[in-house]
C-alpha cells in the first residue's frame, strides 16, 4: 500500500453497467469480449446497445454493482448510460460479466484512448496518470507539465499491480513514482462507477482514486482472421498488426502460388475498419469492413474483386495493445 493522505483520483471518461434480469457474482468466460455501449432500462427489463451499432439486445445477466450504478445515474425509462464490461453475446441476448466503467452517454463511444493501457485522473481532474507501452506519463493539466517515467517491470501481489520508478529531475533532484492498481470498485467525482481503483505516491504527494482500461482502438479486433470454412472457392488469411500494418494472403485452392500483399488498416469509427492493400493505387480507398462485438469482419458495400459477401472470422488472440499485466480475468 502507498500512503494514506489521499487526494481522490477520478477518470474524466465513460463508465459501465449491467442489466436487470439476473444479477449475481458472474465469472468471465474464455470467450468474453470487451463490450462497449449503453445500458437502457424499460420497466423491469434491461437492454444493451453496442457502440458498434446493430440491434438493441436484452441483457440476460449482470453484476449487482452495474445494476446499482445504472439506477443511480439513470433519469428514467429509456435513459442510456454508457458502459464498458467484459461479456458475451448469446443467441437470446447479452451477459455482462465484469464491469469496468459505468457513466456518461453514447458520446463516450467516440473516445478510444489510443496507446493508453490504463488511465487514472485526480479528484480535481488536474493530474492524469497514463500507463503506455513504454512509459508511465503523469500530466499536470493546470501547470502544462508532464513527467514521463520509463515503464518498469510490474510487481504482482495477489490482485495488486504495482509499478515503481524514478528518474533524474532538474539539478540534483529525483522524481519518484509508485503506482498501484487493483480490481476494486471506485466512485468518481461525477458519480461514475469504476471497477478499478488506483493509489499513487509521486514525489511524496499521495493520490488515490479510480482507474480504467484503455486502448479501445484495438478492441475488439483480433490478430488474425480467415474466411469461413464454408467458402470453398478461395481462402484468405488476414493478419492485423497494432502499428496499423497488415498482411493479406490469398489461396485460390487450385495449386497455384499464393497471392500475398502487405498493406495498412485503420479504424474509421468504432464500428468500421478500412483495409488498404499495397499496389491497389493511390486512388483506391480499399475495403471497409463492419466490426462485430466478437471481432468478426463483414465487407460493407461492393468490391469488384470480392463482391458483397466477403467475411472474416477471428482465428487468433486479441489485437489489443496490452502487456497482459492488467488482465485480472485470465
Amino acid at each position: 500500500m502507498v500512503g494514506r493522505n489521499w487526494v481522490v483520483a477520478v477518470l474524466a471518461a465513460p463508465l459501465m453497467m449491467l442489466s436487470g434480469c439476473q444479477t449475481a457474482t458472474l465469472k468471465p468466460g474464455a470467450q468474453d469480449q470487451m463490450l462497449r455501449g449503453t445500458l437502457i432500462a424499460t420497466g423491469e427489463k434491461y437492454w444493451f446497445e453496442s457502440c458498434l451499432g446493430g440491434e438493441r439486445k436484452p441483457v440476460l445477466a449482470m453484476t449487482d454493482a452495474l445494476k446499482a450504478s445504472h439506477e443511480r445515474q439513470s433519469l428514467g425509462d429509456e435513459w442510456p448510460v454508457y458502459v464498458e464490461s467484459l461479456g458475451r453475446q448469446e443467441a437470446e441476448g447479452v451477459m455482462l460479466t465484469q464491469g469496468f466503467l459505468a457513466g456518461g452517454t453514447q458520446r463516450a463511444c467516440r473516445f478510444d484512448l489510443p496507446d493508453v493501457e490504463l488511465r487514472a485522473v485526480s479528484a480535481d481532474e488536474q493530474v492524469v496518470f497514463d500507463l503506455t507501452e513504454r512509459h508511465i506519463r503523469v500530466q499536470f493539466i493546470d501547470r502544462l507539465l508532464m513527467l514521463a517515467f520509463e515503464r518498469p517491470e510490474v510487481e504482482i501481489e495477489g490482485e495488486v499491480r504495482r509499478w515503481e520508478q524514478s528518474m533524474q529531475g532538474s539539478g540534483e533532484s529525483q522524481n519518484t513514482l509508485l503506482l498501484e492498481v487493483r480490481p476494486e470498485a471506485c466512485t468518481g467525482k461525477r458519480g461514475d462507477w469504476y471497477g478499478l481503483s488506483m493509489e499513487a505516491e509521486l514525489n511524496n504527494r499521495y493520490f488515490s482514486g479510480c482507474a480504467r482500461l484503455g486502448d479501445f482502438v484495438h478492441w475488439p479486433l483480433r490478430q488474425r482472421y480467415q474466411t469461413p470454412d464454408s467458402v470453398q472457392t478461395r481462402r484468405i488469411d488476414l493478419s492485423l498488426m497494432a502499428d496499423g500494418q497488415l498482411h493479406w494472403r490469398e489461396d485460390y485452392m487450385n495449386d497455384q502460388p499464393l497471392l500475398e500483399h502487405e498493406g495498412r488498416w485503420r479504424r474509421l469509427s468504432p464500428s468500421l475498419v478500412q483495409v488498404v492493400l499495397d499496389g491497389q493505387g493511390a486512388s483506391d480507398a480499399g475495403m471497409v469492413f463492419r466490426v462485430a462485438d466478437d471481432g468478426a469482419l463483414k465487407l460493407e458495400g461492393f468490391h469488384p474483386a470480392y463482391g458483397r459477401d466477403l467475411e472474416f472470422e477471428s482465428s487468433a488472440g486479441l489485437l489489443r495493445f496490452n502487456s497482459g499485466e492488467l488482465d485480472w480475468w485470465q
Side-chain angles (χ1 to χ4, degrees):
M1 297 283 286
V2 259
R4 280 293 171 195
N5 298 317
W6 308 116
V7 177
V8 178
V10 184
L11 284 178
L15 302 157
M16 45 173 36
M17 17 196 33
L18 258 175
S19 75
C21 350
Q22 171 189 348
T23 59
T25 302
L26 303 173
K27 294 184 178 180
Q31 301 305 313
D32 280 12
Q33 291 94 33
M34 179 65 81
L35 302 179
R36 303 175 69 205
T38 52
L39 186 65
I40 301 164
T42 56
E44 297 298 316
K45 292 185 177 181
Y46 286 80
W47 303 84
F48 178 79
E49 292 186 357
S50 172
C51 288
L52 301 178
E55 296 180 359
R56 176 185 293 191
K57 298 182 179 180
V59 179
L60 305 177
M62 63 182 172
T63 65
D64 292 329
L66 286 177
K67 181 180 180 182
S69 179
H70 182 274
E71 291 175 348
R72 287 194 305 271
Q73 298 182 60
S74 174
L75 299 183
D77 276 8
E78 292 294 322
W79 188 266
V81 178
Y82 174 81
V83 301
E84 294 170 6
S85 177
L86 283 181
R88 51 189 177 271
Q89 300 198 50
E90 310 290 347
E92 300 81 8
V94 176
M95 298 182 68
L96 302 175
T97 57
Q98 182 172 337
F100 287 104
L101 194 154
T105 66
Q106 179 72 20
R107 288 178 297 178
C109 289
R110 305 173 190 171
F111 301 103
D112 286 327
L113 296 179
D115 300 326
V116 175
E117 193 171 344
L118 177 125
R119 169 167 288 182
V121 181
S122 66
D124 56 6
E125 300 183 356
Q126 294 301 306
V127 185
V128 179
F129 296 82
D130 279 344
L131 186 69
T132 72
E133 183 177 14
R134 294 185 175 87
H135 296 94
I136 301 176
R137 297 196 303 252
V138 184
Q139 185 172 4
F140 297 83
I141 305 299
D142 58 341
R143 290 188 280 161
L144 300 178
L145 171 67
M146 178 183 289
L147 300 176
F149 294 86
E150 288 189 12
R151 179 168 172 169
E153 291 291 326
V154 67
E155 299 176 31
I156 298 177
E157 183 179 322
E159 292 189 322
V160 177
R161 305 294 188 264
R162 181 182 299 112
W163 298 267
E164 187 170 6
Q165 186 60 287
S166 63
M167 68 175 180
Q168 188 68 38
S170 58
E172 297 182 359
S173 65
Q174 281 271 89
N175 292 304
T176 60
L177 173 67
L178 176 61
L179 174 66
E180 290 184 355
V181 179
R182 65 192 72 220
E184 293 179 356
C186 178
T187 301
K189 178 181 179 181
R190 307 180 188 187
D192 299 341
W193 178 91
Y194 296 83
L196 302 175
S197 65
M198 175 275 287
E199 297 180 356
E201 181 177 340
L202 175 66
N203 295 338
N204 297 318
R205 291 182 60 190
Y206 298 96
F207 304 86
S208 75
C210 307
R212 65 176 294 195
L213 298 177
D215 194 50
F216 292 108
V217 171
H218 295 130
W219 287 104
L221 298 173
R222 300 300 194 265
Q223 296 172 14
R224 291 190 59 190
Y225 287 91
Q226 64 183 32
T227 46
D229 292 337
S230 58
V231 177
Q232 302 295 321
T233 55
R234 64 181 160 196
R235 176 190 177 95
I236 303 175
D237 290 284
L238 172 62
S239 297
L240 300 181
M241 278 74 85
D243 62 0
Q245 301 301 304
L246 66 83
H247 182 75
W248 178 288
R249 186 176 65 179
E250 200 163 343
D251 183 358
Y252 279 82
M253 301 178 175
N254 57 2
D255 297 325
Q256 296 301 308
L258 298 177
L259 301 178
E260 299 193 56
H261 300 275
E262 303 301 316
R264 60 194 184 279
W265 69 272
R266 67 186 181 102
R267 290 286 285 270
L268 299 178
S269 72
S271 59
L272 297 176
V273 167
Q274 181 188 51
V275 169
V276 178
L277 304 182
D278 291 345
Q280 289 185 325
S283 62
D284 196 319
M287 293 170 275
V288 176
F289 292 88
R290 183 164 296 276
V291 186
D293 281 314
D294 63 359
L297 303 177
K298 180 175 176 55
L299 182 65
E300 289 277 288
F302 175 81
H303 189 276
Y306 302 104
R308 298 182 183 276
D309 300 321
L310 182 60
E311 297 183 11
F312 287 100
E313 299 175 342
S314 59
S315 62
L318 294 171
L319 177 67
R320 174 186 169 216
F321 159 73
N322 178 20
S323 63
E325 296 171 0
L326 303 178
D327 292 346
W328 287 276
W329 55 87
Q330 297 295 337

